């Protein structure tokens, strides 16, 4: 009787969770699919035919692919040696680099683009310094017309994500395989090619898929870099005109297809990884490097982190500059811009709006993450697989796609974002950041001592007693870490904020930053100061989360 009641309650919970995903994930994306293939109320491929014959849109697609490939290649080039050295080798400054490898994540490319234009632009710091040193006679376009700067910012920002997916593989390599390879005369290159690469390939290619999708669908960085021939920007310009020009649905569908393809690849490879990791083996252990190789590794990692600090330093200088025009560095400094954030109508309102939205998002995601984790662990095989796939799907469905779907799905209702967008902004933020709380809660539950729930039950503890007095205290580090990250990333959410916040009164921080960049006078300085505030919040959140979770921190970025 009790078992039958538990099954009924579990089934009802699964239905409610599927209903939530249906309303805020499946229905908006499904509506885009319908609109893309039924522009006139009947099935037609006319939108895609128009796309093929539009040279601007075709060029935008090619540019988006090139940016994604470039950013993915750069992220791989950086993440592989970092994971190899920090996961397998003993280094004098190993702990320092393990903590600071998160540095590029602290500044979203959207904000870093503000600084990079000031430093690497035609009349930026680098060109002025080189001209003063008589190295250059004419300014050089270091940003490659904008595309080079986008690839640099996105590759640098995303490489820690790939590093976190690779680190567990490098840290848990099979020592027996290496010994066997070496005993048969294998050399280091042969070991890397025949043993190490096959062992890390599931996590590596799964991480590559996520990096490619994120860089392919990034909207904020091209906007700030004023590089408009990319697919996300073309879709962004059509969002307010969907009734008259449904081409935006076709563009959104293309980006969704790329995102879901990347997600399915990462999931398939992840299952391969889980299946392969069931075998017991002797871990390889940390090895020492020869002095030259050790010094080279430390030098290269320090150089990468120094490179990552350039946009951060540039943004800080822009935030405190009083005058910075045709000079290598600001000619005058002031902290007044930070004070204006709390008095200026737009910046003050955006901070209040973002704090309110981020706080609500944390509450929603903590509850949903806990609920989903419980159902995944207690449900049957198919329930668990479906719910876990839906919970992690937002990692592959970009914010611009969700925002597009919400604009169309809620148009004409009381939640229409053209009026008051707060409801749909919280829904979008919570959907985008749900993987963090879900993955964190799932990791926390799996790390609980086996049998602790049953032992408490035999001692007379009911469900709520076990939850309040046993489970939640043990899950506290995971709750705090994921809640902090959800709050910080929601404060700096770009695509959803740019598309869904249509009225100035409801601008979140990132929409206010974008608005201020076009304002004459101190607009750029105020935008940079806002970016610095967001970066500091994100830095504190990531530092605290890393301290709370340790090596399990990377679990939240795994698809």
């Amino acid at each position: 009787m009790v078992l039958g009641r538990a099954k009924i309650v579990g089934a009802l919970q699964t239905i409610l969770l599927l209903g939530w995903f249906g309303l805020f994930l499946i229905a908006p994306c499904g509506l885009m699919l319908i609109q893309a293939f039924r522009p006139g109320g009947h099935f037609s491929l006319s939108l895609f035919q128009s796309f093929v014959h539009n040279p601007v849109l075709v060029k935008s697609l090619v540019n988006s692919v090139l940016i994604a490939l470039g950013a993915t290649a750069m992220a791989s080039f950086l993440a592989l040696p970092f994971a190899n050295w920090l996961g397998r080798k003993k280094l004098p400054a190993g702990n320092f680099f393990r903590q600071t490898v998160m540095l590029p994540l602290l500044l979203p490319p959207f904000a870093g683009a503000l600084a990079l234009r000031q430093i690497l632009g035609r009349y930026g710091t680098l060109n002025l310094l080189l001209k003063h040193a008589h190295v250059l006679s004419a300014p050089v376009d270091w940003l490659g017309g904008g595309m080079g700067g986008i690839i640099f910012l996105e590759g640098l920002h995303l490489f820690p994500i790939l590093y976190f997916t690779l680190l567990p593989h490098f840290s848990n390599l099979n020592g027996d395989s290496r010994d066997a390879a070496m005993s048969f005369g294998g050399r280091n290159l042969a070991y890397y090619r025949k043993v190490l690469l096959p062992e890390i390939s599931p996590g590596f290619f799964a991480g590559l898929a996520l990096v490619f999708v994120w860089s392919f669908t990034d909207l904020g960085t091209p906007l700030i870099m004023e590089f408009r021939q990319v697919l996300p920007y073309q879709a962004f310009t059509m969002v307010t005109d969907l009734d008259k020009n449904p081409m935006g649905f076709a563009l959104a569908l293309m980006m969704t297809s790329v995102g879901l393809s990347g997600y399915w690849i990462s999931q398939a490879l992840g299952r391969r990884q889980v299946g392969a990791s069931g075998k017991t083996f002797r871990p390889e252990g940390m090895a020492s490097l020869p002095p030259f190789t050790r010094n080279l590794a430390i030098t290269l990692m320090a150089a990468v982190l120094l490179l990552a600090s350039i946009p951060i330093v540039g943004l800080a200088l822009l935030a405190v500059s009083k005058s910075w025009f045709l000079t290598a560095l600001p000619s005058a400094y002031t902290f007044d811009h930070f004070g204006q954030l709390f008095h200026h109508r737009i910046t003050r309102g955006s901070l209040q709006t973002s704090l309110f939205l981020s706080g609500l998002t944390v509450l929603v995601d903590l509850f949903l993450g806990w609920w989903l984790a419980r159902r995944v662990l207690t449900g049957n095989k198919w329930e668990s697989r479906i719910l876990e796939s839906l919970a992690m799907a937002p990692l592959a469905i970009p914010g611009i796609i969700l925002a597009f779907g919400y604009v169309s799905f809620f148009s004409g209702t009381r939640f229409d974002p053209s009026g008051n967008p707060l409801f749909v902004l919280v829904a979008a933020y919570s959907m985008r950041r749900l993987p963090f709380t879900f993955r964190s809660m799932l990791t926390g539950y799996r790390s609980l001592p086996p049998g602790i729930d049953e032992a408490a039950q035999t001692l007379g503890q009911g469900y709520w007693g076990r939850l309040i007095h046993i489970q939640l205290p043990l899950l506290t580090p995971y709750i705090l870490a994921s809640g902090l990250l959800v709050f910080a990333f929601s404060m700096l959410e770009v695509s959803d904020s740019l598309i869904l916040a249509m009225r100035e009164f409801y601008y979140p921080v990132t929409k206010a930053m974008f608005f201020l960049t076009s304002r004459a006078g101190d607009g750029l300085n105020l935008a940079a100061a806002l970016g610095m505030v967001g970066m500091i919040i994100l830095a504190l959140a990531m530092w605290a989360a890393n301290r709370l979770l340790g090596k399990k921190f990377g679990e939240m970025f795994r698809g």
Side-chain angles (χ1 to χ4, degrees), residues 77 111-112 144 154 226 286 318 347 356 358 397 403 421 449 506 518 549:
F77 181 75
E154 292 182 352
E226 297 182 353
M286 303 286 280
L318 193 58
T347 55
F356 172 74
S358 301
I397 299 177
Y506 298 107
S518 59
L549 297 184

Side-chain angles (χ1 to χ4, degrees), residues 43 46 79 146 160 201 205 257 401 461 468 470 532 548:
F43 179 81
S46 59
S201 61
F205 289 112
S257 301
I401 304 304
Q461 284 281 7
I468 295 170
I470 296 174
M532 286 299 298
L548 287 165

Side-chain angles (χ1 to χ4, degrees), residues 20-199:
W20 189 85
F21 281 113
L23 180 61
F24 294 109
L25 180 66
I26 298 171
C29 293
L31 182 61
M32 281 194 306
L33 176 67
I34 294 171
Q35 298 283 7
F37 287 105
R38 293 174 60 87
H42 54 84
F43 179 81
S44 172
L45 297 176
S46 59
L47 292 178
F48 300 96
Q49 292 169 347
S50 299
F51 176 91
V52 172
H53 292 99
N54 188 320
V56 174
L57 294 181
V58 172
K59 179 67 173 176
S60 298
L61 174 61
V62 171
N63 287 342
S64 294
V65 172
L66 291 176
I67 287 171
L69 289 174
T72 305
M74 181 177 175
S76 306
F77 181 75
L78 296 176
L80 280 168
F82 265 76
N84 180 42
W85 290 329
L86 297 179
R88 300 177 62 224
K89 307 300 180 183
K90 293 179 182 177
L91 294 172
N95 287 332
F96 168 78
F97 286 114
R98 289 184 190 97
Q99 295 292 326
T100 54
V101 73
M102 295 186 298
L103 185 66
L105 277 176
L106 301 183
L107 187 65
F110 173 77
L114 292 173
L116 209 63
R117 286 172 53 192
Q118 192 72 34
I119 296 172
L120 299 181
R122 286 188 176 275
Y123 299 99
T125 300
L126 183 58
N127 275 331
L128 291 172
L129 287 174
L130 292 176
K131 185 179 180 181
H132 182 73
H134 304 292
V135 176
L136 293 178
S137 57
V140 174
D141 182 12
W142 301 103
L143 298 177
M147 182 183 288
I150 295 171
I151 291 173
F152 171 79
L153 282 168
E154 292 182 352
L156 199 62
H157 176 69
L158 293 173
F159 103 81
I161 303 293
L162 186 55
Y163 161 82
F164 283 126
T165 64
L166 283 170
L167 188 61
H169 296 271
F170 278 100
S171 300
N172 296 288
L173 288 172
N174 192 334
D176 295 328
S177 298
R178 178 176 176 81
D179 293 344
M182 293 305 176
S183 65
F184 284 101
R187 297 180 178 275
N188 277 331
L189 285 179
Y191 167 72
Y192 276 98
R193 182 168 52 89
K194 295 182 178 180
V195 178
L196 187 143
L197 283 179
E199 288 198 27

Side-chain angles (χ1 to χ4, degrees), residues 462-544:
Y463 175 79
W464 293 107
R466 298 196 305 275
L467 175 65
I468 295 170
H469 299 298
I470 296 174
Q471 295 175 15
L472 290 183
L474 293 174
L475 292 173
T476 297
Y478 302 91
I479 294 171
L480 291 176
S482 59
L484 286 168
L485 285 182
V486 168
F487 181 85
F489 279 115
S490 297
M491 285 286 294
L492 294 174
E493 177 61 42
V494 177
S495 298
D496 293 319
S497 302
L498 291 177
I499 293 175
L500 294 174
M502 302 180 187
R503 294 172 58 187
E504 184 182 299
F505 182 77
Y506 298 107
Y507 281 179
V509 164
T510 48
K511 185 64 177 276
M513 287 175 63
F514 174 64
F515 176 80
L516 289 168
T517 56
S518 59
R519 169 179 150 161
D522 60 354
L524 275 177
N525 306 106
L526 287 174
L530 263 182
M532 286 299 298
V533 170
M535 190 198 73
I536 292 169
I537 292 173
L538 182 57
L540 292 173
M542 295 194 73
W543 175 83

Side-chain angles (χ1 to χ4, degrees), residues 403-470:
F404 243 86
Y406 286 179
V407 168
S408 179
F409 188 70
F410 291 104
S411 178
T413 70
R414 62 179 301 180
F415 302 119
D416 192 330
S418 62
N420 184 337
L422 296 182
F423 175 81
V424 288
L425 280 170
V426 171
Y429 286 5
S430 59
M431 182 60 75
R432 292 271 289 148
R433 303 307 167 198
L434 178 60
F436 290 154
T437 54
F438 166 71
R439 182 63 71 183
S440 182
M441 294 289 188
L442 196 61
T443 303
Y445 267 114
R446 285 173 174 167
S447 67
L448 294 181
I452 190 172
D453 209 44
E454 291 80 0
Q457 194 170 3
T458 60
L459 294 174
Q461 284 281 7
Y463 175 79
W464 293 107
R466 298 196 305 275
L467 175 65
I468 295 170
H469 299 298
I470 296 174

